[in-house]
Amino acid sequence: QEGMLFHATFDKTGPDVYEGQRALALDGPLDAARLRSSWEALLRRHPILRASFHRIASGEA
């Protein structure tokens, strides 16, 4: 992961090739509470989806 973080931050003008985003369109009525509950259950079940990496003041990951 440290190597991936290096490449993601090496070129501030380029895209982060390790970042993944998805968008989807939902048709019909939306039960927002149910969607939120489902998403929270998914995050509890798969902790890797909550992972993030940051640099400390020294620049170390």
Side-chain angles (χ1 to χ4, degrees):
Q1 285 98 356
E2 192 170 356
M4 291 171 59
L5 180 61
F6 168 81
H7 288 290
T9 58
F10 179 73
D11 180 7
K12 297 284 186 192
T13 62
D16 182 353
V17 297
Y18 297 108
E19 180 180 296
Q21 294 182 341
R22 303 291 181 264
L24 60 110
L26 301 173
D27 295 327
L30 174 65
D31 183 339
R34 189 177 212 178
L35 178 60
R36 178 177 295 279
S37 176
S38 298
W39 182 249
E40 289 171 350
L42 181 73
L43 293 177
R44 280 192 306 274
R45 189 173 301 135
H46 303 284
I48 192 66
L49 296 175
R50 299 187 311 262
S52 63
F53 300 92
H54 307 276
R55 294 199 179 276
I56 57 177
S58 69
E60 184 179 4

